[in-house]
Amino acid sequence: MADGAAHESTEHKYRPISPIFASTCACTLSSPTSRRRSRNKPSVSLKYSHIHSTLIFLCFNSFSLIHRTTMATTMVKEVGSEPAQLLGPESASERTLYPYVTGTSVVALKYKDGILMAADMGASYGSTLRYKSVERMKSIGKHSLLGASGEISDFQEILHYLDELILYDNMWDDGNSLGPKEVHSYLTRVMYNRRNKFNPLWNSLVLGGVKNGQKYLGMVSMIGVNFEDNHVATGFGNHLARPILRDEWHENLSFEDGVKLLEKCMRVLLYRDRSAVNKLQIAKITEEGVTISQPYALKTFWGFSAFQNPTVGAEGSW
Amino acid sequence: MTKQQANWSPYDNNGGSCVAIAGADYCVIAADTRMSTGYSILTREYSKICKLAEKSVMASSGFQADVKALQKHLAARHLIYQHQHNKHMSCPAMAQLLSNTLYYKRFFPYYAFNVLGGLDSEGKGCVYTYDAVGSYERVGYSAQGSGSTLIMPFLDNQLKSPSPLLLPAQDAVTPLSELEAVDLIKTVFASATERDIYTGDKLEIVVLNADGIRREYMELRKD
């Protein structure tokens, strides 16, 4: 076995690549190094014939993704060649290596009546802001709200798993329903399990909810690290928003104060995180249920004197 | 043909220190409550201590997801033991189980640095100290985790155990009273907090003796 054609697992929406076409493309792509920051540029190895024909198509059209030529050209002699045999019949290319379409930070805090969570609606494809209307927060069952940053397709898969979980829970029809603690525990196990198989779901998840008057707010990372706290944030939010929350959060925040605090955090992220977009949603979950706001934009201020005539005193510099 | 290198690591060090001291009829197990990643603090109130059986308490630092999985695994095994033998596992038995569980994953280890404390079948305090792959030893006191290099020498100075090679065998347990041992733990953590960035926030102390379990907290520096 181990014939190249037998491994054509990905869909061929586009016509199969001819070897010449592939080697031209190979010139424009570099082989990834282990030091590459995955957030920056999606990169593709062309050792395998059947991977990412869609990406190659895109690369051919968008030369902004061109990198220096490397030995990759010599690797792609036979497009129908077999995948690395070190790993046996299972092809290594089926494992997650890098995230492609990613969402940025999610910030959440506990307030008097429940949980408030904020996330912007952007999804980046490397350094391009590709999608600007992505809902990164979804309600789960009756008692929980899930926000995710990281790979959007993995988030969609998680939602699929949770749909099934909630469905089975509802099918019991016993008056009981999974609360946020249970959903958090389930998600932790799922993420840890995938990490054990070296095929992680590339997300940082925030799970908040209220059940029987008990508020709950927790976080799970892509390798399964999980904890519960009064306020959480993923990605850049951990560095920029958490300090603000540590300083200004207190028990029994009112709804207005909670929203103001979240907006303060999101504004800082907007100014300082390059993958943030000025279109955000704030979600609230209380005993009564989930409400996700309509998307809106934050007011920003750019009228600093240092921004007018930025090169004064050093003409010619940027 | 170079193989793709993964740019993510399945491990992370979430920091923290754990200490246990065995006495004549008590055992003190303590750990800080800070959970970090890289240079960030994730949360200031995460407990690293887990009660596995009536007389066995484990404190683990290292990679939190592995620690959680290990604790769940051992708790499940203990439940099965209780169903099969109609009694709780003794501390020495739990110690052996923990060692075997860790070695089972010898080639993809649990990144957990454990210290197991409790009372043995005679009611004397016992402390077992482990490395990540299950080699263990019964000792009178031990420290594991990011602050262990700071704490252990101080404990050696205060509580030096007689060598297990001596004949006749000498007791490893400390002559300190329970209150003195708790006081020593507090001193030791306050010092470790000064110099170890991963240790701090709050100290959780669990004291096991013939009367049962007692829990105590102490604030530590938050910087």
Short mmCIF file of all heavy atoms in Angstrom, two decimals, chain A residues 238-298:
data_model
loop_
_atom_site.label_atom_id
_atom_site.label_comp_id
_atom_site.label_asym_id
_atom_site.label_seq_id
_atom_site.Cartn_x
_atom_site.Cartn_y
_atom_site.Cartn_z
N ASN A 238 -4.43 38.12 28.44
CA ASN A 238 -3.75 37.70 29.66
C ASN A 238 -2.72 38.73 30.09
O ASN A 238 -2.53 38.99 31.27
CB ASN A 238 -3.06 36.37 29.37
CG ASN A 238 -3.05 35.49 30.57
OD1 ASN A 238 -3.68 35.77 31.57
ND2 ASN A 238 -2.33 34.40 30.48
N HIS A 239 -2.06 39.33 29.11
CA HIS A 239 -1.00 40.29 29.43
C HIS A 239 -1.53 41.70 29.62
O HIS A 239 -1.02 42.44 30.45
CB HIS A 239 0.04 40.31 28.31
CG HIS A 239 0.80 39.03 28.21
ND1 HIS A 239 0.55 38.09 27.24
CD2 HIS A 239 1.79 38.53 28.95
CE1 HIS A 239 1.36 37.06 27.40
NE2 HIS A 239 2.13 37.29 28.43
N LEU A 240 -2.56 42.06 28.82
CA LEU A 240 -3.02 43.46 28.84
C LEU A 240 -4.26 43.68 29.69
O LEU A 240 -4.39 44.70 30.35
CB LEU A 240 -3.28 43.93 27.41
CG LEU A 240 -2.05 43.92 26.49
CD1 LEU A 240 -2.47 44.21 25.06
CD2 LEU A 240 -1.05 44.95 26.93
N ALA A 241 -5.18 42.70 29.68
CA ALA A 241 -6.45 42.92 30.38
C ALA A 241 -6.41 42.45 31.83
O ALA A 241 -6.99 43.08 32.71
CB ALA A 241 -7.58 42.20 29.63
N ARG A 242 -5.74 41.34 32.09
CA ARG A 242 -5.73 40.78 33.46
C ARG A 242 -5.24 41.79 34.50
O ARG A 242 -5.80 41.88 35.58
CB ARG A 242 -4.86 39.57 33.52
CG ARG A 242 -5.35 38.14 33.44
CD ARG A 242 -6.74 37.80 33.63
NE ARG A 242 -7.03 37.11 34.86
CZ ARG A 242 -6.56 35.91 35.23
NH1 ARG A 242 -5.71 35.29 34.48
NH2 ARG A 242 -6.92 35.38 36.38
N PRO A 243 -4.16 42.55 34.21
CA PRO A 243 -3.71 43.52 35.22
C PRO A 243 -4.79 44.55 35.55
O PRO A 243 -4.95 44.92 36.72
CB PRO A 243 -2.50 44.19 34.55
CG PRO A 243 -2.03 43.23 33.55
CD PRO A 243 -3.24 42.52 33.06
N ILE A 244 -5.52 45.00 34.53
CA ILE A 244 -6.61 45.97 34.77
C ILE A 244 -7.67 45.30 35.64
O ILE A 244 -8.16 45.89 36.62
CB ILE A 244 -7.24 46.43 33.44
CG1 ILE A 244 -6.19 47.09 32.57
CG2 ILE A 244 -8.41 47.37 33.70
CD1 ILE A 244 -6.69 47.47 31.18
N LEU A 245 -8.00 44.07 35.31
CA LEU A 245 -9.02 43.36 36.08
C LEU A 245 -8.55 43.12 37.51
O LEU A 245 -9.33 43.25 38.45
CB LEU A 245 -9.36 42.04 35.39
CG LEU A 245 -10.08 42.20 34.06
CD1 LEU A 245 -10.09 40.91 33.27
CD2 LEU A 245 -11.51 42.67 34.27
N ARG A 246 -7.28 42.79 37.67
CA ARG A 246 -6.79 42.55 39.03
C ARG A 246 -6.89 43.81 39.88
O ARG A 246 -7.10 43.74 41.09
CB ARG A 246 -5.33 42.08 38.99
CG ARG A 246 -5.17 40.68 38.50
CD ARG A 246 -4.10 39.90 39.22
NE ARG A 246 -4.20 38.49 38.85
CZ ARG A 246 -3.51 37.92 37.88
NH1 ARG A 246 -2.64 38.60 37.18
NH2 ARG A 246 -3.69 36.64 37.60
N ASP A 247 -6.70 44.93 39.23
CA ASP A 247 -6.74 46.19 39.97
C ASP A 247 -8.17 46.64 40.26
O ASP A 247 -8.47 47.16 41.33
CB ASP A 247 -6.04 47.26 39.11
CG ASP A 247 -5.56 48.42 39.93
OD1 ASP A 247 -5.30 48.21 41.14
OD2 ASP A 247 -5.43 49.51 39.38
N GLU A 248 -9.07 46.48 39.28
CA GLU A 248 -10.38 47.15 39.39
C GLU A 248 -11.55 46.21 39.61
O GLU A 248 -12.67 46.67 39.83
CB GLU A 248 -10.63 47.97 38.12
CG GLU A 248 -9.52 48.99 37.89
CD GLU A 248 -9.87 49.95 36.77
OE1 GLU A 248 -11.04 50.03 36.37
OE2 GLU A 248 -8.94 50.61 36.29
N TRP A 249 -11.34 44.91 39.54
CA TRP A 249 -12.47 44.02 39.76
C TRP A 249 -12.76 43.92 41.25
O TRP A 249 -11.87 43.92 42.08
CB TRP A 249 -12.14 42.63 39.21
CG TRP A 249 -13.29 41.68 39.32
CD1 TRP A 249 -14.25 41.44 38.39
CD2 TRP A 249 -13.59 40.83 40.42
NE1 TRP A 249 -15.14 40.50 38.85
CE2 TRP A 249 -14.76 40.11 40.09
CE3 TRP A 249 -13.00 40.61 41.67
CZ2 TRP A 249 -15.35 39.18 40.95
CZ3 TRP A 249 -13.58 39.69 42.53
CH2 TRP A 249 -14.76 38.99 42.16
N HIS A 250 -14.05 43.84 41.58
CA HIS A 250 -14.42 43.55 42.96
C HIS A 250 -15.72 42.76 42.93
O HIS A 250 -16.40 42.69 41.91
CB HIS A 250 -14.56 44.83 43.79
CG HIS A 250 -15.54 45.81 43.20
ND1 HIS A 250 -16.90 45.77 43.46
CD2 HIS A 250 -15.37 46.84 42.34
CE1 HIS A 250 -17.50 46.74 42.79
NE2 HIS A 250 -16.61 47.41 42.11
N GLU A 251 -16.06 42.19 44.05
CA GLU A 251 -17.28 41.38 44.13
C GLU A 251 -18.51 42.24 43.87
O GLU A 251 -18.53 43.42 44.19
CB GLU A 251 -17.42 40.79 45.55
CG GLU A 251 -16.43 39.72 45.88
CD GLU A 251 -16.90 38.33 45.44
OE1 GLU A 251 -17.98 38.22 44.84
OE2 GLU A 251 -16.17 37.38 45.70
N ASN A 252 -19.54 41.61 43.30
CA ASN A 252 -20.82 42.30 43.13
C ASN A 252 -20.74 43.58 42.30
O ASN A 252 -21.29 44.61 42.68
CB ASN A 252 -21.47 42.63 44.48
CG ASN A 252 -21.86 41.37 45.20
OD1 ASN A 252 -22.35 40.42 44.58
ND2 ASN A 252 -21.62 41.32 46.49
N LEU A 253 -20.01 43.48 41.20
CA LEU A 253 -20.04 44.58 40.23
C LEU A 253 -21.44 44.67 39.66
O LEU A 253 -22.09 43.66 39.43
CB LEU A 253 -19.10 44.27 39.06
CG LEU A 253 -17.61 44.56 39.22
CD1 LEU A 253 -16.86 43.86 38.11
CD2 LEU A 253 -17.37 46.06 39.16
N SER A 254 -21.90 45.90 39.41
CA SER A 254 -23.19 46.03 38.73
C SER A 254 -22.97 45.75 37.25
O SER A 254 -21.83 45.73 36.78
CB SER A 254 -23.73 47.45 38.91
OG SER A 254 -22.93 48.34 38.15
N PHE A 255 -24.08 45.58 36.54
CA PHE A 255 -23.97 45.28 35.11
C PHE A 255 -23.24 46.41 34.37
O PHE A 255 -22.34 46.18 33.56
CB PHE A 255 -25.37 45.06 34.53
CG PHE A 255 -25.38 44.88 33.04
CD1 PHE A 255 -24.90 43.71 32.48
CD2 PHE A 255 -25.87 45.87 32.19
CE1 PHE A 255 -24.89 43.52 31.10
CE2 PHE A 255 -25.87 45.70 30.82
CZ PHE A 255 -25.38 44.53 30.27
N GLU A 256 -23.61 47.66 34.69
CA GLU A 256 -23.00 48.80 33.98
C GLU A 256 -21.51 48.87 34.27
O GLU A 256 -20.70 49.10 33.36
CB GLU A 256 -23.66 50.12 34.41
CG GLU A 256 -25.08 50.32 33.94
CD GLU A 256 -26.07 49.50 34.74
OE1 GLU A 256 -25.78 49.19 35.92
OE2 GLU A 256 -27.13 49.15 34.19
N ASP A 257 -21.15 48.68 35.55
CA ASP A 257 -19.74 48.73 35.91
C ASP A 257 -18.96 47.61 35.24
O ASP A 257 -17.82 47.79 34.80
CB ASP A 257 -19.57 48.63 37.43
CG ASP A 257 -19.92 49.93 38.12
OD1 ASP A 257 -19.96 50.97 37.42
OD2 ASP A 257 -20.17 49.89 39.33
N GLY A 258 -19.59 46.43 35.17
CA GLY A 258 -18.93 45.30 34.54
C GLY A 258 -18.66 45.56 33.07
O GLY A 258 -17.56 45.31 32.56
N VAL A 259 -19.68 46.11 32.40
CA VAL A 259 -19.52 46.41 30.97
C VAL A 259 -18.44 47.47 30.77
O VAL A 259 -17.59 47.37 29.89
CB VAL A 259 -20.86 46.86 30.35
CG1 VAL A 259 -20.65 47.38 28.95
CG2 VAL A 259 -21.84 45.72 30.33
N LYS A 260 -18.45 48.48 31.65
CA LYS A 260 -17.44 49.55 31.54
C LYS A 260 -16.04 48.98 31.69
O LYS A 260 -15.12 49.35 30.97
CB LYS A 260 -17.67 50.61 32.63
CG LYS A 260 -18.30 51.88 32.10
CD LYS A 260 -17.91 53.09 32.90
CE LYS A 260 -18.72 53.20 34.13
NZ LYS A 260 -19.75 54.05 34.37
N LEU A 261 -15.90 48.07 32.66
CA LEU A 261 -14.60 47.47 32.91
C LEU A 261 -14.16 46.62 31.72
O LEU A 261 -13.00 46.70 31.27
CB LEU A 261 -14.68 46.62 34.18
CG LEU A 261 -13.40 46.04 34.74
CD1 LEU A 261 -12.33 47.07 34.87
CD2 LEU A 261 -13.69 45.40 36.11
N LEU A 262 -15.08 45.84 31.17
CA LEU A 262 -14.74 45.03 30.00
C LEU A 262 -14.37 45.91 28.82
O LEU A 262 -13.42 45.62 28.09
CB LEU A 262 -15.93 44.14 29.60
CG LEU A 262 -16.02 42.78 30.25
CD1 LEU A 262 -17.19 42.02 29.66
CD2 LEU A 262 -14.77 41.98 30.05
N GLU A 263 -15.11 46.99 28.64
CA GLU A 263 -14.81 47.88 27.51
C GLU A 263 -13.44 48.51 27.68
O GLU A 263 -12.71 48.70 26.71
CB GLU A 263 -15.89 48.97 27.39
CG GLU A 263 -17.16 48.45 26.77
CD GLU A 263 -18.17 49.53 26.49
OE1 GLU A 263 -17.97 50.67 26.98
OE2 GLU A 263 -19.13 49.24 25.77
N LYS A 264 -13.10 48.81 28.93
CA LYS A 264 -11.76 49.38 29.17
C LYS A 264 -10.69 48.39 28.72
O LYS A 264 -9.72 48.75 28.05
CB LYS A 264 -11.63 49.68 30.66
CG LYS A 264 -10.38 50.40 31.05
CD LYS A 264 -10.45 50.82 32.50
CE LYS A 264 -9.17 51.59 32.84
NZ LYS A 264 -9.19 52.07 34.22
N CYS A 265 -10.90 47.11 29.08
CA CYS A 265 -9.93 46.09 28.69
C CYS A 265 -9.89 45.94 27.17
O CYS A 265 -8.80 45.87 26.57
CB CYS A 265 -10.31 44.74 29.30
SG CYS A 265 -10.25 44.73 31.08
N MET A 266 -11.07 45.91 26.55
CA MET A 266 -11.12 45.71 25.10
C MET A 266 -10.50 46.89 24.36
O MET A 266 -9.89 46.73 23.30
CB MET A 266 -12.56 45.50 24.61
CG MET A 266 -13.21 44.24 25.13
SD MET A 266 -12.28 42.73 24.78
CE MET A 266 -12.69 42.44 23.10
N ARG A 267 -10.63 48.08 24.94
CA ARG A 267 -10.04 49.27 24.30
C ARG A 267 -8.52 49.17 24.30
O ARG A 267 -7.86 49.43 23.30
CB ARG A 267 -10.50 50.55 24.98
CG ARG A 267 -10.03 51.81 24.25
CD ARG A 267 -10.66 53.08 24.77
NE ARG A 267 -12.08 53.14 24.44
CZ ARG A 267 -13.07 53.04 25.30
NH1 ARG A 267 -12.83 52.89 26.59
NH2 ARG A 267 -14.32 53.08 24.90
N VAL A 268 -7.95 48.78 25.43
CA VAL A 268 -6.50 48.61 25.51
C VAL A 268 -6.05 47.56 24.48
O VAL A 268 -5.05 47.75 23.77
CB VAL A 268 -6.08 48.17 26.92
CG1 VAL A 268 -4.63 47.78 26.96
CG2 VAL A 268 -6.34 49.28 27.91
N LEU A 269 -6.81 46.47 24.39
CA LEU A 269 -6.46 45.44 23.42
C LEU A 269 -6.56 45.97 22.01
O LEU A 269 -5.74 45.67 21.15
CB LEU A 269 -7.38 44.22 23.60
CG LEU A 269 -7.07 43.39 24.83
CD1 LEU A 269 -8.20 42.42 25.13
CD2 LEU A 269 -5.78 42.62 24.63
N LEU A 270 -7.54 46.79 21.75
CA LEU A 270 -7.71 47.37 20.42
C LEU A 270 -6.51 48.22 20.04
O LEU A 270 -6.02 48.20 18.92
CB LEU A 270 -8.99 48.20 20.41
CG LEU A 270 -9.41 48.83 19.09
CD1 LEU A 270 -9.62 47.76 18.06
CD2 LEU A 270 -10.69 49.61 19.30
N TYR A 271 -6.03 48.99 21.02
CA TYR A 271 -4.88 49.85 20.74
C TYR A 271 -3.61 49.06 20.54
O TYR A 271 -2.75 49.45 19.77
CB TYR A 271 -4.66 50.83 21.90
CG TYR A 271 -5.59 51.99 21.97
CD1 TYR A 271 -6.19 52.35 23.18
CD2 TYR A 271 -5.87 52.78 20.86
CE1 TYR A 271 -7.03 53.43 23.27
CE2 TYR A 271 -6.72 53.87 20.95
CZ TYR A 271 -7.30 54.20 22.16
OH TYR A 271 -8.14 55.27 22.26
N ARG A 272 -3.46 47.98 21.29
CA ARG A 272 -2.16 47.34 21.37
C ARG A 272 -2.03 45.98 20.71
O ARG A 272 -0.93 45.50 20.51
CB ARG A 272 -1.75 47.22 22.85
CG ARG A 272 -1.42 48.55 23.49
CD ARG A 272 -0.20 49.16 22.88
NE ARG A 272 0.11 50.48 23.44
CZ ARG A 272 1.16 51.21 23.07
NH1 ARG A 272 1.99 50.77 22.17
NH2 ARG A 272 1.37 52.39 23.61
N ASP A 273 -3.15 45.31 20.39
CA ASP A 273 -3.09 43.99 19.76
C ASP A 273 -3.36 44.16 18.28
O ASP A 273 -4.42 44.65 17.89
CB ASP A 273 -4.15 43.08 20.40
CG ASP A 273 -4.18 41.68 19.78
OD1 ASP A 273 -3.33 41.37 18.93
OD2 ASP A 273 -5.07 40.91 20.17
N ARG A 274 -2.41 43.77 17.45
CA ARG A 274 -2.60 44.07 16.03
C ARG A 274 -3.69 43.23 15.39
O ARG A 274 -4.20 43.57 14.34
CB ARG A 274 -1.30 43.90 15.26
CG ARG A 274 -0.94 42.48 15.02
CD ARG A 274 -0.16 42.35 13.76
NE ARG A 274 0.11 40.94 13.50
CZ ARG A 274 1.03 40.52 12.68
NH1 ARG A 274 1.78 41.38 12.04
NH2 ARG A 274 1.22 39.24 12.48
N SER A 275 -4.04 42.11 16.04
CA SER A 275 -5.08 41.27 15.42
C SER A 275 -6.48 41.60 15.95
O SER A 275 -7.43 40.90 15.65
CB SER A 275 -4.77 39.80 15.58
OG SER A 275 -4.11 39.56 16.79
N ALA A 276 -6.59 42.70 16.71
CA ALA A 276 -7.91 43.08 17.21
C ALA A 276 -8.62 43.94 16.16
O ALA A 276 -7.99 44.70 15.44
CB ALA A 276 -7.77 43.86 18.51
N VAL A 277 -9.96 43.79 16.11
CA VAL A 277 -10.76 44.66 15.24
C VAL A 277 -11.73 45.43 16.09
O VAL A 277 -12.16 44.97 17.15
CB VAL A 277 -11.56 43.88 14.17
CG1 VAL A 277 -10.64 43.33 13.13
CG2 VAL A 277 -12.38 42.79 14.78
N ASN A 278 -12.12 46.60 15.61
CA ASN A 278 -13.02 47.44 16.40
C ASN A 278 -14.47 47.08 16.10
O ASN A 278 -15.25 47.89 15.61
CB ASN A 278 -12.76 48.92 16.12
CG ASN A 278 -13.41 49.79 17.18
OD1 ASN A 278 -14.00 49.28 18.14
ND2 ASN A 278 -13.29 51.10 17.02
N LYS A 279 -14.79 45.83 16.39
CA LYS A 279 -16.18 45.39 16.24
C LYS A 279 -16.33 44.28 17.25
O LYS A 279 -15.80 43.19 17.07
CB LYS A 279 -16.40 44.88 14.82
CG LYS A 279 -17.82 44.46 14.52
CD LYS A 279 -17.93 44.07 13.05
CE LYS A 279 -19.30 43.53 12.74
NZ LYS A 279 -19.34 42.88 11.43
N LEU A 280 -17.00 44.59 18.36
CA LEU A 280 -17.04 43.57 19.40
C LEU A 280 -18.46 43.30 19.88
O LEU A 280 -19.39 44.07 19.64
CB LEU A 280 -16.17 43.99 20.59
CG LEU A 280 -16.62 45.19 21.39
CD1 LEU A 280 -16.40 44.94 22.85
CD2 LEU A 280 -15.85 46.42 20.97
N GLN A 281 -18.56 42.16 20.54
CA GLN A 281 -19.82 41.81 21.16
C GLN A 281 -19.56 41.58 22.65
O GLN A 281 -18.49 41.11 23.04
CB GLN A 281 -20.33 40.48 20.59
CG GLN A 281 -20.77 40.55 19.17
CD GLN A 281 -21.23 39.18 18.71
OE1 GLN A 281 -20.49 38.22 18.76
NE2 GLN A 281 -22.45 39.11 18.25
N ILE A 282 -20.57 41.92 23.45
CA ILE A 282 -20.47 41.59 24.87
C ILE A 282 -21.62 40.65 25.18
O ILE A 282 -22.77 40.91 24.82
CB ILE A 282 -20.53 42.85 25.75
CG1 ILE A 282 -19.31 43.71 25.47
CG2 ILE A 282 -20.57 42.46 27.22
CD1 ILE A 282 -18.94 44.68 26.56
N ALA A 283 -21.29 39.56 25.83
CA ALA A 283 -22.32 38.57 26.16
C ALA A 283 -22.51 38.53 27.66
O ALA A 283 -21.57 38.72 28.43
CB ALA A 283 -21.90 37.20 25.66
N LYS A 284 -23.76 38.29 28.04
CA LYS A 284 -24.08 38.25 29.46
C LYS A 284 -24.80 36.94 29.72
O LYS A 284 -25.66 36.53 28.93
CB LYS A 284 -24.97 39.45 29.76
CG LYS A 284 -25.76 39.38 31.04
CD LYS A 284 -26.64 40.60 31.19
CE LYS A 284 -28.01 40.28 30.65
NZ LYS A 284 -29.05 41.12 31.17
N ILE A 285 -24.43 36.27 30.79
CA ILE A 285 -25.20 35.08 31.17
C ILE A 285 -25.58 35.18 32.64
O ILE A 285 -24.75 35.47 33.50
CB ILE A 285 -24.44 33.77 30.86
CG1 ILE A 285 -25.28 32.57 31.29
CG2 ILE A 285 -23.08 33.73 31.50
CD1 ILE A 285 -24.81 31.26 30.72
N THR A 286 -26.88 35.00 32.88
CA THR A 286 -27.39 35.05 34.25
C THR A 286 -28.26 33.81 34.45
O THR A 286 -28.39 33.00 33.54
CB THR A 286 -28.25 36.29 34.48
OG1 THR A 286 -29.37 36.22 33.59
CG2 THR A 286 -27.48 37.56 34.23
N GLU A 287 -28.87 33.73 35.58
CA GLU A 287 -29.76 32.60 35.85
C GLU A 287 -30.86 32.51 34.78
O GLU A 287 -31.31 31.43 34.42
CB GLU A 287 -30.39 32.78 37.24
CG GLU A 287 -31.08 31.55 37.77
CD GLU A 287 -30.09 30.49 38.26
OE1 GLU A 287 -29.25 30.83 39.10
OE2 GLU A 287 -30.17 29.35 37.79
N GLU A 288 -31.26 33.69 34.26
CA GLU A 288 -32.36 33.70 33.29
C GLU A 288 -31.93 33.16 31.93
O GLU A 288 -32.76 32.64 31.19
CB GLU A 288 -32.89 35.13 33.08
CG GLU A 288 -33.85 35.60 34.16
CD GLU A 288 -33.11 36.10 35.37
OE1 GLU A 288 -32.19 36.92 35.21
OE2 GLU A 288 -33.43 35.65 36.48
N GLY A 289 -30.64 33.37 31.56
CA GLY A 289 -30.21 32.88 30.26
C GLY A 289 -29.12 33.74 29.66
O GLY A 289 -28.50 34.56 30.34
N VAL A 290 -28.89 33.51 28.38
CA VAL A 290 -27.78 34.16 27.69
C VAL A 290 -28.29 35.29 26.81
O VAL A 290 -29.31 35.13 26.13
CB VAL A 290 -27.05 33.14 26.78
CG1 VAL A 290 -25.97 33.81 25.97
CG2 VAL A 290 -26.45 32.04 27.62
N THR A 291 -27.60 36.42 26.83
CA THR A 291 -27.86 37.49 25.85
C THR A 291 -26.54 37.88 25.24
O THR A 291 -25.61 38.21 25.97
CB THR A 291 -28.41 38.77 26.51
OG1 THR A 291 -28.92 38.46 27.77
CG2 THR A 291 -29.45 39.44 25.65
N ILE A 292 -26.47 37.85 23.91
CA ILE A 292 -25.27 38.32 23.24
C ILE A 292 -25.63 39.60 22.51
O ILE A 292 -26.59 39.63 21.74
CB ILE A 292 -24.72 37.26 22.25
CG1 ILE A 292 -24.49 35.94 23.00
CG2 ILE A 292 -23.43 37.73 21.62
CD1 ILE A 292 -23.89 34.84 22.17
N SER A 293 -24.86 40.65 22.78
CA SER A 293 -25.25 41.96 22.23
C SER A 293 -25.03 42.00 20.73
O SER A 293 -24.34 41.17 20.15
CB SER A 293 -24.40 43.05 22.88
OG SER A 293 -23.09 43.01 22.36
N GLN A 294 -25.63 43.02 20.11
CA GLN A 294 -25.33 43.27 18.70
C GLN A 294 -23.90 43.79 18.60
O GLN A 294 -23.41 44.41 19.54
CB GLN A 294 -26.29 44.36 18.16
CG GLN A 294 -27.69 43.85 17.91
CD GLN A 294 -27.68 42.72 16.90
OE1 GLN A 294 -27.11 42.86 15.82
NE2 GLN A 294 -28.27 41.61 17.24
N PRO A 295 -23.25 43.58 17.47
CA PRO A 295 -21.88 44.08 17.37
C PRO A 295 -21.85 45.61 17.42
O PRO A 295 -22.73 46.26 16.88
CB PRO A 295 -21.42 43.60 15.98
CG PRO A 295 -22.44 42.67 15.50
CD PRO A 295 -23.67 42.84 16.29
N TYR A 296 -20.82 46.14 18.07
CA TYR A 296 -20.67 47.59 18.10
C TYR A 296 -19.20 47.93 18.18
O TYR A 296 -18.36 47.06 18.38
CB TYR A 296 -21.45 48.20 19.26
CG TYR A 296 -20.91 47.89 20.63
CD1 TYR A 296 -20.16 48.83 21.35
CD2 TYR A 296 -21.17 46.67 21.24
CE1 TYR A 296 -19.67 48.54 22.61
CE2 TYR A 296 -20.69 46.38 22.50
CZ TYR A 296 -19.95 47.32 23.18
OH TYR A 296 -19.47 47.03 24.43
N ALA A 297 -18.90 49.21 18.01
CA ALA A 297 -17.50 49.64 17.99
C ALA A 297 -17.22 50.51 19.20
O ALA A 297 -18.10 51.19 19.71
CB ALA A 297 -17.22 50.41 16.71
N LEU A 298 -15.98 50.50 19.63
CA LEU A 298 -15.57 51.33 20.76
C LEU A 298 -15.06 52.66 20.24
O LEU A 298 -14.47 52.74 19.17
CB LEU A 298 -14.45 50.64 21.54
CG LEU A 298 -14.81 49.38 22.29
CD1 LEU A 298 -13.55 48.71 22.80
CD2 LEU A 298 -15.74 49.67 23.43
#
